[in-house]
Amino acid sequence: MTVRITPLPEQAAPLSGAGLGALATERGNLPLETVDVRAAITGLNGRVELSQGFRNPFDVPLEAVYIFPLPDRAAVTRMRMETADGTVEAALKERGRARADYQEAVAAGHRAALAEEDRPDVFTMQVGNIPPGERVTVRLTLDQPLPYEDGAATFRFPLVVAPRYIPGTALPDERAGDGIAADTDAVPDASRISPPVLLPGFPDPVRLSLEADIDPAGFPLGEIRSSLHVVAADTRGSGRTTVRLQPGERLDRDFVLRLAYGRPEQAAASVTLTPDAEGESGTFTLTVLPPSEQCAPRPRDVVILLDRSGSMHGWKMVAARRAAARIVDTLTGRDRFAVLSFDDMVERPAGLDGGLSPATDRNRFRAVEHLAGLQARGGTELAAPLREGAALLDDAGRDRVLVLITDGQVGNEDQLLALIDPFLNGLRIHAVGIDQAVNAGFLGRLATAGQGRLELVESEDRLDEAMEHIHHRINAPLLTGLSLEWSGVRVEPGTLTPPRPGAVFPGVPLVVAGRYLRAADDCSLTVRAVTGEGAPWQCRAVVSRTEAGAATSVWARAHLRDLEDRYAVTGGRDLEQQIVETSLRFGVLCRFTAFVAIDDRAVAGGPAHRVVQPVESPAGWPLPAPPVAAASSPAMPAMPMAAPAGPLPPPPAGPAPLATPPRGLPPRLRRPRGPAPSPSAAAPSAPRPSPVPALVRQELNRLQELAAAARPERRRHLSDLRTRLLGLAQHARSDGLPADRLTALADALQAADDPAQQSRLDELWTLAVGELTAFLDEHTATPKPPRRPFWKKPS
């Protein structure tokens, strides 16, 4: 069999010697050497093994930190750490316990690795105590479903975390993570989802390898389309196709394979029962195919929210304008609509600045004229347009549709989901994600909550195909109000995912999963619904059983995401406990648990260097400007980049990335990019508390931790502390704090670099502890309580 491989539009040519992790220093490159993705695709399911290879190029033990993406619907079920001495299987634990075990192991000199989820599609890997010159490989195993729509299945694997807009006021307490953005009251973990960014073109990149073995499993396989340059090799007689990535590709976009599966002969509804290895319980997966008949369109109220923020620059802005205009053109005289374009403010077309407007020819022309003049600018302040658009859709007698067109690059996802929750009754939300590194995790959560669809557009040329799908989605669904009537099956309460089965749209099968406690041999399922015309519809599902597959882990991941979304709205310790218990029971990573692997042999005295791996600038984004001392216009998220900077010094206590250049203030001292002030603001906002005392406390804690270290390590630490003190003094002055004590201490620590004054090491160490303690006594009224776990909602 021969399968044609077609490149998706907007590919970048393979670039030799460019990629991620290529920061050259006198001691070598940054630690991330290889990223290897091996996918086994069987029908509409994929199992992936992701390998990350870290090497220590320094002459002291290293801790490496890497902020990386994974598919938002994937279930991470296993982690292994491979060293020169063998393989360590990771344990899944409650997140606070796993973090404490990791920190304790690293402090005691053991190799260790920690994997944490910060968003459905953003994760952090920490690998501690990599000995000089050695290599550690961490392998993650994932199960993910492949969505099937309009005759094609899609395998998507993201390769870079794009910068996200971080609104809110900076928090004064300890930072949650190792990224370059400051934590804020709107995004308390912003520092965990904002890796430093490399400029392109550095030599010796991370070696990316990717291979996908495709078994159609009964689906007729036609064309394969890829977003990156691949080659295909047939396995003769097996019906399988192996797709391999060509060398030289960069980790700067999503890898997308679209598989043109023909529709096999199937019943209108089918359910698969997957029993557990022990006992009578198991997982069921129901698939409802859309009816072939179409329903007549009904009067609609449609609100289009168009993101015109700075991250939508270039082809994305063009595609977004075209998408919105195409939707406006499909409206009829019976419809009403509104177009809201937003960045730091919300604007409407001239003459359509009231509520919903009738979709007359004149009004549609005004809307398209407004769209044609939009340019990218400002920050992604999504809360106001989301609230305003949802509030317009208040007529329960009409179809109510909200369409969001954006790249989704925001950090306050939980805040936005809580905001939209009160409007969801009867409101459908569709999202159009336009980017080569889209925030599919957030947009998928939003569309699922609104019982709508997410359409991803990775290039302008793909837009026409995507808009044809969207046109069908914003019409009335074919089926609504689904209910399941079981016979001979006892379903476990509260396990249905999605909790409210959504609507059935043309070309899109509806998949519902859950857990059963017992199933008789002659069990049956009847699916009932209401058609678009209001008539009753029912179908008896065909029941089958399977003994293998990823159904349980895929269900567990989706169920955990439903619980986490509910937690984002309501919070509660009972819900926290339910999430942790579900994650541990089914062995699937979530935001409340973490994988930790600890080598039982001590190999170091603790890491002397801590390096945060910078990532590629996403494809299609404008190149980042050099970092500056203070926040500038919020047109785009801050993107400090890494550049050659000589030997890397030992880190301060805390998560300051060592891979960023020593220009301007350190990233941990930069203020977050916030919304532009409103012209109608009645009074200035209260001044932000200075983070300098908290940062000084971190330096003091680090001095106390290293008090018993070897003299060469202590001398290096004092030498590097002097540089950081100068940055702290500069930031203190900008915040109106006296900085004389910090600058005087920095001047005194020059002696640490003088070979003739090495005998003064203990004296200088004592001086540093005393001066930092005195600074805190002067500028800290009361000691701050320990920071709460950042993955939990405030009580």
Side-chain angles (χ1 to χ4, degrees):
M1 182 183 75
T2 300
V3 179
R4 185 159 60 97
I5 307 290
T6 303
L8 291 172
E10 298 291 333
Q11 288 189 340
L15 179 59
S16 176
L20 179 146
L23 174 57
T25 73
E26 294 180 6
R27 298 184 182 181
N29 292 335
L30 283 174
L32 184 63
E33 274 197 325
T34 60
V35 171
D36 180 73
V37 182
R38 304 284 164 177
I41 299 172
T42 304
L44 298 178
N45 290 287
R47 171 156 289 185
V48 179
E49 183 172 277
L50 169 67
S51 302
Q52 299 169 351
F54 299 90
R55 184 182 66 87
N56 182 0
F58 305 103
D59 54 8
V60 292
L62 172 70
E63 181 180 29
V65 180
Y66 179 36
I67 301 170
F68 65 101
L70 288 177
D72 63 290
R73 300 175 66 188
V76 182
T77 59
R78 187 184 182 193
M79 181 176 112
R80 289 162 290 158
M81 178 178 68
E82 298 177 0
T83 70
D85 300 319
T87 300
V88 179
E89 195 75 24
L92 184 65
K93 300 182 179 183
E94 187 275 327
R95 189 169 184 174
R97 180 70 264 166
R99 288 171 61 85
D101 289 351
Y102 172 82
Q103 292 163 2
E104 180 180 342
V106 169
H110 295 263
R111 295 189 193 94
L114 179 71
E116 300 174 86
E117 176 188 322
D118 296 300
R119 295 291 186 275
D121 54 352
V122 179
F123 296 73
T124 297
M125 180 70 69
Q126 290 177 247
V127 185
N129 282 328
I130 307 175
E134 288 198 16
R135 177 185 175 90
V136 171
T137 300
V138 181
R139 302 187 189 277
L140 298 174
T141 301
L142 300 77
D143 291 320
Q144 69 179 99
L146 272 62
Y148 178 81
E149 300 182 2
D150 300 293
T154 302
F155 173 77
R156 174 182 170 272
F157 199 92
L159 296 172
V160 66
V161 175
R164 301 187 179 191
Y165 181 79
I166 307 297
T169 301
L171 297 176
D173 52 358
E174 180 185 353
R175 288 164 56 95
D178 302 281
I180 55 89
D183 300 329
T184 71
D185 54 357
V187 193
D189 61 347
S191 60
R192 295 192 60 85
I193 59 172
S194 53
V197 178
L198 275 176
L199 285 174
F202 288 95
D204 303 325
V206 164
R207 294 189 299 276
L208 170 64
S209 57
L210 193 153
E211 179 177 297
D213 181 69
I214 303 167
D215 178 3
F219 287 88
L221 177 59
E223 182 183 44
I224 299 176
R225 292 189 292 165
S226 169
S227 63
L228 295 174
H229 296 79
V230 298
V231 294
D234 248 353
T235 304
R236 292 186 178 275
S238 69
R240 296 174 177 265
T241 301
T242 300
V243 172
R244 296 185 181 89
L245 198 63
Q246 292 183 0
E249 293 286 4
R250 299 165 62 168
L251 289 90
D252 64 355
R253 68 190 69 198
D254 298 341
F255 173 68
V256 181
L257 277 180
R258 299 192 188 279
L259 311 175
Y261 282 161
R263 176 170 166 173
E265 290 299 323
Q266 268 186 284
S270 60
V271 62
T272 301
L273 305 180
T274 306
D276 297 337
E278 299 178 359
E280 297 180 323
S281 60
T283 302
F284 71 84
T285 305
L286 167 68
T287 303
V288 180
L289 298 180
S292 56
E293 63 272 11
Q294 302 292 317
C295 58
R298 296 186 300 185
R300 297 166 294 178
D301 287 346
V302 179
V303 173
I304 302 168
L305 306 182
L306 181 79
D307 179 1
R308 62 172 303 179
S309 63
S311 64
M312 296 292 290
H313 173 83
W315 75 270
K316 291 195 293 181
M317 192 71 251
V318 175
R321 293 195 305 251
R322 287 181 56 199
R326 286 282 298 274
I327 294 173
V328 170
D329 284 342
T330 64
L331 301 177
T332 69
R334 298 195 303 164
D335 301 324
R336 300 183 302 182
F337 77 107
V339 174
L340 280 61
S341 56
F342 66 93
D343 52 340
D344 300 316
M345 60 185 69
V346 180
E347 295 182 343
R348 299 195 187 201
L352 302 179
D353 51 2
L356 295 173
S357 302
T360 63
D361 290 345
R362 181 175 182 81
N363 287 340
R364 287 188 287 114
F365 175 80
R366 287 170 170 167
V368 172
E369 188 177 41
H370 168 76
L371 293 169
L374 295 179
Q375 299 296 327
R377 69 180 192 194
T380 316
E381 289 292 331
L382 182 52
L386 198 60
R387 183 188 299 109
E388 183 177 343
L392 290 173
L393 299 169
D394 59 356
D395 188 343
R398 299 168 66 90
D399 278 351
R400 293 173 286 160
V401 182
L402 182 72
V403 183
L404 173 62
I405 304 173
T406 178
D407 57 11
Q409 302 300 355
V410 294
N412 58 328
E413 294 100 321
D414 286 356
Q415 183 186 62
L416 295 171
L417 286 170
L419 180 151
I420 197 65
D421 184 72
F423 299 95
L424 290 178
N425 187 23
L427 174 66
R428 288 201 311 277
I429 301 177
H430 302 295
V432 184
I434 300 180
D435 200 354
Q436 295 181 80
V438 72
N439 185 354
F442 165 59
L443 296 181
R445 294 167 71 190
L446 187 64
T448 299
Q451 299 190 1
R453 303 297 306 174
L454 167 62
E455 190 74 32
L456 298 180
V457 179
E458 67 274 356
S459 72
E460 190 179 0
D461 287 342
R462 156 136 169 90
L463 183 64
D464 289 337
E465 176 185 351
M467 292 311 302
E468 190 64 31
H469 302 165
I470 295 167
H471 170 64
H472 295 302
R473 311 288 191 263
I474 65 173
N475 287 326
L478 302 177
L479 298 175
T480 58
L482 267 75
S483 63
L484 311 181
E485 296 182 5
W486 291 94
S487 175
V489 174
R490 183 184 172 194
V491 175
E492 185 174 346
T495 64
L496 205 64
T497 180
R500 298 175 297 175
V504 178
F505 294 94
V508 186
L510 174 67
V511 178
V512 179
R515 294 282 298 170
Y516 65 86
L517 300 175
R518 186 179 63 255
D521 291 339
D522 59 347
C523 65
S524 64
L525 170 64
T526 300
V527 182
R528 300 185 185 277
V530 177
T531 68
E533 286 81 13
W537 178 94
Q538 71 175 43
C539 176
R540 187 180 178 93
V542 175
V543 180
S544 62
R545 286 175 167 83
T546 178
E547 298 298 326
T552 298
S553 60
V554 169
W555 164 83
R557 179 68 187 92
H559 183 55
L560 286 166
R561 187 172 63 179
D562 293 338
L563 293 175
E564 289 170 343
D565 287 349
R566 196 197 318 167
Y567 178 83
V569 176
T570 64
R573 292 188 59 85
D574 291 344
L575 199 50
E576 286 181 24
Q577 188 63 29
Q578 183 182 356
I579 293 171
V580 172
E581 290 175 354
T582 302
S583 175
L584 298 181
R585 175 187 174 190
F586 295 99
V588 173
L589 178 66
C590 75
R591 194 168 174 178
F592 285 78
T593 56
F595 274 111
V596 60
I598 299 174
D599 194 345
D600 58 6
R601 291 195 321 118
V603 297
H609 283 277
R610 193 163 193 244
V611 177
V612 181
Q613 181 73 33
V615 304
E616 289 271 9
S617 178
W621 285 55
L623 295 182
V628 293
S632 56
S633 166
M636 291 191 60
M639 293 173 59
M641 64 273 185
L648 294 175
L658 299 183
T660 50
R663 53 192 303 182
L665 291 181
R668 61 192 279 177
L669 300 185
R670 297 193 188 107
R671 296 176 179 172
R673 308 174 71 99
S678 169
S680 60
S685 59
R688 294 174 175 172
S690 173
V692 171
L695 298 175
V696 170
R697 183 175 298 279
Q698 292 179 20
E699 299 290 0
L700 178 60
N701 291 341
R702 184 62 170 164
L703 284 170
Q704 294 167 342
E705 292 170 3
L706 294 176
R711 292 181 67 86
E713 182 178 353
R714 293 169 66 203
R715 182 192 62 78
R716 285 196 300 268
H717 185 75
L718 288 183
S719 176
D720 297 323
L721 175 60
R722 176 180 179 273
T723 301
R724 294 195 297 274
L725 287 173
L726 294 174
L728 284 169
Q730 180 182 351
H731 194 53
R733 283 190 289 268
S734 70
D735 287 347
L737 298 180
D740 293 347
R741 190 180 294 275
L742 298 178
T743 54
L745 177 58
D747 292 341
L749 293 183
Q750 291 186 65
D753 293 325
D754 186 351
Q757 300 193 53
Q758 294 306 300
S759 61
R760 297 185 57 205
L761 177 62
D762 291 339
E763 174 191 342
L764 293 172
W765 197 272
T766 301
L767 175 66
V769 171
E771 289 299 297
L772 294 184
T773 301
F775 181 89
L776 289 174
D777 290 342
E778 294 171 359
H779 302 295
T780 306
T782 57
K784 291 183 172 59
R787 182 187 176 100
R788 65 172 179 83
F790 53 82
W791 58 93
K792 298 183 180 182
K793 285 179 69 71
S795 300

